[in-house]
């Protein structure tokens, strides 16, 4: 067992050394010295001196610390690409739940050919800032369908406010856009009380609204949204799904408009297929 552990550790060290050396292949300022050192790693019987490997790797990285940054950047790029591919598969497999779930609110053109989906929380400051992005995009683009996926992740107040929102949408879908804009745009923290006040000002019947708030389908909808977010690696708000891409953060309407244009130009229309 000890031999296996030692060999495993040595293999890891050698791999790291090879990665570091390979990463700078073609750099004559360091490649020649590294190649010369590498030739001394193996003894006549083919075994590897672990301490020598570690010394060479340590010395190399100390002399070229920028390599660590470059390797980290390369790793992050690789991880982003892996996540992009994984997200694409999720979007293809779960397109109905992402783009056409019956429990989501819709603003803009309900029959629009292009769909953007936003995961949001009523108490997210960045979502409040991004509200203007949604209004700008839907006003400028009559063919845009904007799906609002309620994603309460910022505590009990958010959860309760979103329950009111879900109940209001079920009872008065024609006024959901007004409700959403007023609650998201209101100063202070969104709570059940503030959400209820807006709902009643828009004509909701309080008794019917409170009864609908007990509907178990609301909790089930939240669970489906949490599951989708987990599969798409969404951990914060606002986050968007545009075509085959997941976009994170309040990046401004110009960036979102570009993503929408790319989705229209692409071969994969997730909402339609």
């Amino acid at each position: 067992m000890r031999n296996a552990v030692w060999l495993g550790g040595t293999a890891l060290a050698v791999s790291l050394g090879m990665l570091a050396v390979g990463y700078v292949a073609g750099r004559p300022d360091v490649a020649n010295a590294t190649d010369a050192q590498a030739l001394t790693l193996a003894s006549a019987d083919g075994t590897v001196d672990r301490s020598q490997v570690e010394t060479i790797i340590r010395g190399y990285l100390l002399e070229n610390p920028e390599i660590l940054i470059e390797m980290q950047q390369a790793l992050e790029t690789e991880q982003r690409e892996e996540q992009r591919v994984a997200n694409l598969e999720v979007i293809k497999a779960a397109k109905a739940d992402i783009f056409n779930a019956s429990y989501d609110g819709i603003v803009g053109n309900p029959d629009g050919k292009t769909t953007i989906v936003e995961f949001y929380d009523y108490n997210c400051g960045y979502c409040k800032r991004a509200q203007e992005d949604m209004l700008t995009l839907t006003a400028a683009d009559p063919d845009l369908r904007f799906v609002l996926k309620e994603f309460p992740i910022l505590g009990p107040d958010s959860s309760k406010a979103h329950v009111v929102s879900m109940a209001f949408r079920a009872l008065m879908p024609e006024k959901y856009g007004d409700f959403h804009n007023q609650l998201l745009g209101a100063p202070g923290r969104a709570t059940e009380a503030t959400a209820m006040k807006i709902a009643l000002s828009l004509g909701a019947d309080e008794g019917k609204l409170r009864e609908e708030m007990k509907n178990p389908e609301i909790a089930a909808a939240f669970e489906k949204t949490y599951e989708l977010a987990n599969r798409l690696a969404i951990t914060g708000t606002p986050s968007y799904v545009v075509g085959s891409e997941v976009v994170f953060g309040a990046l401004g309407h110009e960036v979102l408009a570009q993503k929408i244009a790319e989705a229209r130009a692409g071969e994969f229309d997730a909402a339609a297929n």
Side-chain angles (χ1 to χ4, degrees):
M1 177 63 71
R2 290 184 61 187
N3 288 339
V5 172
W6 189 92
L7 289 172
T10 300
L12 178 60
V14 171
S15 296
L16 178 57
M18 291 176 67
L19 178 60
V21 173
Y23 193 81
V24 294
R27 291 179 54 175
D29 56 322
V30 295
N32 291 338
T34 304
D35 290 344
Q37 289 176 315
L39 292 175
T40 68
L41 290 178
S43 63
D45 61 0
T47 60
V48 176
D49 186 329
R50 178 178 178 178
S51 63
Q52 191 176 8
V53 172
E54 293 173 347
T55 299
I56 292 173
I57 293 173
R58 182 176 184 277
Y60 173 74
L61 294 177
L62 286 174
E63 292 176 6
N64 303 276
E66 73 279 4
I67 296 303
L68 294 175
I69 298 175
E70 294 175 12
M71 291 174 67
Q72 179 64 30
Q73 291 172 341
L75 176 61
E76 291 174 355
T77 298
E78 181 180 354
Q79 290 174 334
R80 284 195 297 269
E81 176 60 16
E82 289 175 352
Q83 187 60 58
R84 186 194 69 78
V85 173
N87 284 345
L88 177 58
E89 293 305 312
V90 174
I91 292 170
K92 287 181 177 179
K95 57 182 179 292
D97 288 334
I98 295 172
F99 296 97
N100 296 299
S102 61
Y103 47 79
D104 288 336
I106 298 175
V107 295
N109 183 355
D111 300 316
K113 295 181 180 179
T114 302
T115 299
I116 179 172
V117 179
E118 178 183 1
F119 288 70
Y120 75 97
D121 184 304
Y122 279 118
N123 282 310
C124 166
Y126 293 104
C127 296
K128 291 178 180 292
R129 297 180 199 175
Q131 181 181 21
E132 189 62 33
D133 298 336
M134 178 194 71
L135 296 174
T136 299
L137 289 168
T138 53
D141 190 341
D143 198 31
L144 183 62
R145 178 175 176 267
F146 209 108
V147 173
L148 297 168
K149 196 166 283 291
E150 310 213 22
F151 185 44
I153 57 173
L154 297 176
D157 282 345
S158 287
S159 296
K160 292 177 181 179
H162 277 275
V163 168
V164 177
S165 177
M166 294 282 280
F168 182 87
R169 186 209 58 77
L171 296 176
M172 303 180 68
E174 72 283 358
K175 292 188 176 181
Y176 175 77
D178 291 336
F179 172 91
H180 173 79
N181 289 332
Q182 289 189 37
L183 183 55
L184 189 60
R189 190 161 181 80
T191 64
E192 179 179 311
T194 58
M196 182 65 70
K197 183 178 179 179
I198 292 171
L200 297 182
S201 74
L202 291 172
D205 180 282
E206 184 171 359
K208 292 181 179 179
L209 188 60
R210 291 196 179 278
E211 187 63 29
E212 180 62 26
M213 288 165 61
K214 301 175 185 177
N215 190 334
E217 291 183 3
I218 293 177
F222 288 150
E223 286 300 317
K224 288 182 180 179
T225 299
Y226 294 143
E227 179 186 1
L228 280 175
N230 184 58
R231 294 171 64 188
L232 293 169
I234 292 174
T235 59
T237 53
S239 292
Y240 304 87
V241 180
V242 190
S244 60
E245 184 177 2
V246 180
V247 181
F248 302 96
L251 303 177
H253 73 273
E254 292 181 351
V255 173
L256 292 178
Q258 179 62 34
K259 296 297 182 182
I260 291 168
E262 291 172 0
R264 283 175 170 156
E267 298 180 356
F268 176 58
D269 185 347
N273 292 331

